Every structure is written in C-alpha cells, then in structure tokens.
Amino acid sequence: MRRSLVLAVSAALVAGTALGFAPATQAADTAGSLRFVDIAGEGGTVLKANFVTPAGADAATRHPLIVLPTSWAMPQVEYLAQAKKLADSGYVVVSYNSRGFWQSGGEIETAGPKDIADASKVIDWALANTPSDPDHVGMAGVSYGAGISLLAAANDPRIKAVAALSGWADLIESIYSGRTQHLQAAALLGGAGYLTGRPGPELQQILGDFLSSDLTKEEDMIAWGRKRSAVEQLDRINANGAAIMLGNAWGDTIFPPNQYADFYEKLTGPKRLEFRPGDHATAEATGLLGLPNDTWTSAHRWFDHYLKDVDNGIDRERPVQLKPRSDAGYEGYPDWKSLDANRRKFDLGGTQRIWANVDSGANGGVVMLSNLLDQFFQAPPVASVPLLPRAFAGVWQSERYDTPQRVRGTVKVHTTVSSTKESGTLVAYLYDVGPLGLGKLVSNAPYTFHDRTPGQPFGVDLDLFSTAYDVPAGHRLALVVDTVDPLYIEHNPTGAQLTFSSPAGDPSYVSVPLRAE
C-alpha cells in the first residue's frame, strides 16, 4: 500500500508539472502580455503570481477580470494555456500560487480563512494594477482552485461568476462519506502537500488524526471540514448571486460527484452542472495543455455570458449536462432531481452472512488510475462475480434485462445489517454482469458504523457514487458487498461477521435511476 501511494503521488506530480510547464513558452511569446509578479496576500504573505492582458490593452479601457488560484500542489504556471485563450478573447487573467505551495509564502491552510482572504487580496491587486473592470470579476480553478473559488464567492460580492472544476462543495462528504476515511485520496493529497509545500500545524494534526482513525477527534475533524465547505456558506453564496458553473468527473476518487450534485440543487442563482467520464481533474487536463477540451469550452462560454454579456445561449440550454461513460453524446436535463423520476428496483432477498477483514476481490480500483482507464478505454475495474468467495462477499443479482438499462444518477441501497461486533465497515459495489459472469464496476461506496449492539439488526441506507452507465441488453446488475477495499480505511474488528437480511416489514433492495426513454 505504501509503495502504491508513493507511486500515485509521484505520478500525479510528474503529470501536474508537465501540465503546468508545457504551455509556458507558448504563453510567454504572446506580444509581451505575460508578467510574473508578487502579490501581497492576507497578512502580507507573498503570493507568486502571473497575469495576462488582452493584446493592446491600456488603462483607458477596462476588461473583465478572471482570477485563477492554482490546484493543490501545482505550480503557478498551471493555467497559462487557458489564460492566454481568455486574454485573446478580452479578459485580464491573474493566476496565483495558493499559499503554502511552491514559492508562495505561508503554510498550507486547506482553503482556510487566510486562503479566502488571499483571493480578495488578489482581486484588489488586479483592480489596482491592471485594466480590470471591478463590475465584471470572475473566479475559476481546478480542484483546490475550485474549492477556493466557491468559498471566495461566499465572502466577496464582487465575484459575479465562478467555474469550479473537479472541486468540492462538501469536504466531509468528499473524503469521509459513509463515515469512512477515503484512504488513498487523503494519502495522495497529504503526500503531495508535503512534497510541494509546507502544511501548517492544523493540517498536520487533522491529517494525522484522520489517517490514524482517532475517533476521539472525529468531531474536531468534521468541524474543520465544515469550515472549508461551500455548502456550509450556501446562504451567503445565494445572497451574493454569483453565476456558478460546476464541473466534475463521474469517477472522481478525491471529490466524488454526489456532493456537487447536492450542492447544485441548493443554489438559487444562475447555475450549471456538468459531469463527464474520468477521475480527479482528468476531464480538464487536456485543456491545461491548450488542447480542445469540452470542460474549458463551457467555462469560457459561461464567463462570456455572465461577465461580457455575450448572448451565446448558454443560459437557455438545459443546465444539467451529462456525458455517459460510453461513446454516447451529452444529455441535457432541467435539473438533477429529474434523474430520480424513473427508478427500477431489484430485491436483496434472503439472508447472507460474511466474514470481515478479508478482501473478496471486489474493489473500487486505484485512485487516479482506474477511472482514467475507464475515461479513455471504457475499462473500469472488473470482477468475476460467480467466483467471488461467498464467505467474504454478499452477492445479489437482478434478472437479465431484455433492453439496455441506462443508469443515470445515484443508485440507492437499503438493507438490514447485524454484526457480531459493535463497529464495522462494509463496501457496496454495483456491477454490470455479462453472460460469462464478468462484472464491470458501475459504482461503489463505503459505510462505517460504530457503537452498535452486537447481534441487533439495524437499517442501512447508502447512496452509491453517482454515475451515467449503459448496461447492455442481455446483461444483469449485481450488488456485491464486502468489508475491505484499498481505497478506504476499514473498521472491522478481528473475527467480525456481518449478516444481511431482508425483513418482511422492511425489505432490502437496490433502487436504480434509469433514463426515461
């Protein structure tokens, strides 16, 4: 595990550095419009930054401003290719290295109050030192930059439009969903932070408590995460009225899509939600290299309409845009909840008992890798469902479907569990099972419980990570439940057994949202 995490961190950093530096020469050659500067952030902390202005810009003409905070562990040149494209279409663009990373001063605050204050300081600097229009200010970013942009929109009413790509709105639901630590995601972020920056003492403490499963600090960790979650500042975001575009990947193993969809539904201003195949930040990656990219194209259109008043029709399109994990094109929906309009259930009948602490062979893959393969080759993690050891995995299957089943949205699992121990973890997987029994992973999610009375049944309702997946005719769906997955920290005492049942008065089931044909 330690070796795989080191490799994952190294690969992410190598890829990130390549994405950041590749377009630098190209951007630097554009009519001398690129400048590298130091900006005084909150408390005077130096933020390393760069800005690009439209060709021929002068102090007499004001241009809309876009501010781009860098992603976690990325250098300040991350956005140069996109900055050039935006400047060519009439924007002043300022990108800065988030505090605590690379050459910027300070310590990593993880989107804390100082990070949000930094964003406003950068806007102040841009309005004072570039031909920026104070009435037309936008923010955008990938991952960490997305999270900071959303939080800044809650605290700075000058921000009129945001494009938050592969980010989070709820940090707890992102890396602690189902009361389960997302091990590989947290280790990747923590490792990259130590390699490229200076984690502050608060982050070091939280990360240590998180990875060591110190439940005495659980409330502290949750409070820390809530302070850094845009959903907790929803009233302020809605009051400020910024136009919010959210983009993410179905297989994001760091910030899963559910939390973005829930946040989107609660926004009251202009809004747009886009989901595509891929893993964390892979949907935007080619755009950082200056290549054609759907996500960045949408972001540019979003800013053109809400910062430049361009009538490009984006405000009249269906605001929820989904690209399935197949060769199919985009599908538009009026809202996220409309995906729940057509659901089909299959029963989780009978009683099944499994031993904990043993990986059955069903798992969610490897952070940043498995869903990248699915994005480009439609090759998700697989398992031979008939060969899964029933001593360590519960297995239930639907009937074989005569027609394609187009799964769209959030699959819900309801079951009754009892354990021989007071604590435990289970992981649910939904597979698309072909005629030979080979299952392709559709979705998964973990669930952890504590302080339960051994032998006493209790109900479990679990939302799997949202997805858009087409199950071919002749296939069936299978729900597999086991207790160990390398993606997550498990809390199963040695020798524990879990029993899954379906009481007559409260039957167990899987509810699958299907596209209405």
Side-chain angles (χ1 to χ4, degrees):
M1 174 62 69
R2 185 176 293 111
R3 181 181 302 168
S4 66
L5 290 174
V6 169
L7 290 173
V9 171
S10 300
L13 290 175
V14 169
T17 302
L19 290 173
F21 283 103
T25 301
Q26 177 186 5
D29 290 338
T30 59
S33 59
L34 173 68
R35 298 288 185 272
F36 290 91
V37 295
D38 290 348
I39 297 177
E42 178 67 8
T45 297
V46 173
L47 305 175
K48 294 295 183 177
N50 60 76
F51 72 96
V52 188
T53 57
D58 56 43
T61 304
R62 294 290 166 178
H63 301 269
L65 167 68
I66 295 178
V67 173
L68 303 169
T70 55
S71 304
W72 187 271
M74 290 291 283
Q76 62 154 307
V77 293
E78 175 185 9
Y79 299 114
L80 285 187
Q82 287 303 317
K84 177 186 180 299
K85 289 177 181 290
L86 287 165
D88 286 347
S89 62
Y91 294 93
V92 173
V93 186
V94 180
S95 177
Y96 68 95
N97 230 131
S98 304
R99 72 166 50 224
F101 286 104
W102 296 88
Q103 290 103 351
S104 281
E107 297 173 325
I108 300 173
E109 300 281 338
T110 320
K114 291 181 181 179
D115 290 300
I116 309 312
D118 284 344
S120 292
K121 292 288 188 181
V122 172
I123 294 173
D124 292 342
W125 182 92
L127 296 177
N129 293 276
T130 71
S132 302
D133 184 347
D135 296 323
H136 296 86
V137 177
M139 284 193 70
V142 175
S143 185
Y144 193 46
I148 290 175
S149 295
L150 286 176
L151 289 163
N155 291 273
D156 194 327
R158 295 176 297 182
I159 300 169
K160 305 302 182 185
V162 171
L165 312 177
S166 289
W168 78 91
D170 189 328
L171 194 56
I172 300 301
E173 280 301 306
S174 294
I175 61 174
Y176 195 51
S177 68
R179 207 179 176 186
T180 308
Q181 298 101 316
H182 293 209
L183 171 62
Q184 291 188 15
L188 176 63
L189 291 172
Y194 276 101
L195 286 172
T196 63
R198 299 166 299 283
E202 186 179 25
L203 174 57
Q204 294 181 46
Q205 181 68 49
I206 288 293
L207 190 61
D209 293 341
F210 185 85
L211 294 176
S212 65
S213 302
D214 187 349
L215 290 177
T216 66
K217 300 296 183 63
E218 184 179 36
E219 291 186 4
D220 293 339
M221 290 187 287
I222 290 174
W224 177 87
R226 283 177 175 165
K227 290 178 182 177
R228 291 157 170 80
S229 297
V231 70
E232 298 293 328
Q233 300 187 40
L234 186 69
D235 290 346
R236 297 170 67 176
I237 292 175
N238 286 335
N240 288 341
I244 306 291
M245 173 187 156
L246 305 171
N248 204 355
W250 294 118
D252 194 321
T253 45
I254 295 179
F255 304 129
N258 302 46
Q259 46 91 32
Y260 247 17
D262 291 343
F263 177 69
Y264 169 84
E265 284 293 277
K266 298 171 184 175
L267 291 170
T268 58
K271 58 184 180 179
R272 185 178 177 91
L273 178 67
E274 300 185 354
F275 285 144
R276 298 176 175 84
D279 206 310
H280 183 64
T282 63
E284 301 85 22
T286 55
L288 295 177
L289 291 170
L291 301 174
N293 181 274
D294 289 353
T295 306
W296 283 104
T297 296
S298 289
H300 285 232
R301 294 180 64 220
W302 191 251
F303 287 131
D304 284 349
H305 181 74
Y306 287 102
L307 296 183
K308 293 171 63 179
D309 299 320
V310 175
D311 185 12
N312 54 19
I314 197 167
D315 58 317
R316 297 187 294 275
E317 297 171 359
R318 289 192 169 189
V320 176
Q321 293 287 319
L322 311 180
K323 190 175 193 305
R325 292 161 50 193
S326 63
D327 289 331
Y330 287 90
E331 301 170 358
Y333 297 86
D335 48 36
W336 178 257
K337 64 179 180 290
S338 65
L339 275 68
D340 279 336
N342 182 36
R343 283 188 170 269
R344 184 171 183 175
K345 293 182 178 180
F346 69 88
D347 295 332
L348 304 179
T351 299
Q352 297 193 35
R353 175 174 291 183
I354 63 174
W355 290 92
N357 310 114
V358 177
D359 191 339
S360 69
N363 67 71
V366 178
V367 65
M368 295 297 297
L369 176 61
S370 298
N371 291 309
L372 186 67
L373 294 175
D374 187 36
Q375 176 183 356
F376 290 105
F377 305 107
Q378 296 177 33
V382 299
S384 176
V385 174
L387 297 181
L388 291 173
R390 296 315 196 255
F392 309 116
V395 179
W396 299 262
Q397 297 194 71
S398 72
E399 76 275 21
R400 185 172 285 109
Y401 299 115
D402 295 330
T403 59
Q405 305 294 293
R406 306 190 191 283
V407 181
R408 300 291 186 273
T410 306
V411 175
K412 299 179 180 292
V413 176
H414 174 74
T415 188
T416 296
V417 179
S418 62
S419 173
T420 58
K421 305 291 184 179
E422 65 177 13
S423 296
T425 297
L426 60 93
V427 185
Y429 310 88
L430 189 70
Y431 284 101
D432 159 26
V433 184
L436 299 179
L438 183 66
K440 295 183 177 181
L441 186 65
V442 177
S443 186
N444 77 100
Y447 181 91
T448 293
F449 58 89
H450 297 289
D451 302 322
R452 292 289 181 176
T453 302
Q456 181 66 43
F458 59 94
V460 170
D461 288 289
L462 178 60
D463 288 353
L464 304 190
F465 299 135
S466 302
T467 193
Y469 184 97
D470 295 337
V471 180
H475 288 213
R476 66 180 76 211
L477 288 170
L479 184 78
V480 176
V481 179
D482 71 3
T483 62
V484 176
D485 190 308
L487 285 173
Y488 313 112
I489 291 178
E490 51 95 2
H491 296 260
N492 296 296
T494 302
Q497 288 181 289
L498 300 182
T499 299
F500 301 88
S501 59
S502 183
D506 185 20
S508 300
Y509 60 84
V510 176
S511 176
V512 182
L514 300 174
R515 191 184 80 181
E517 299 296 338

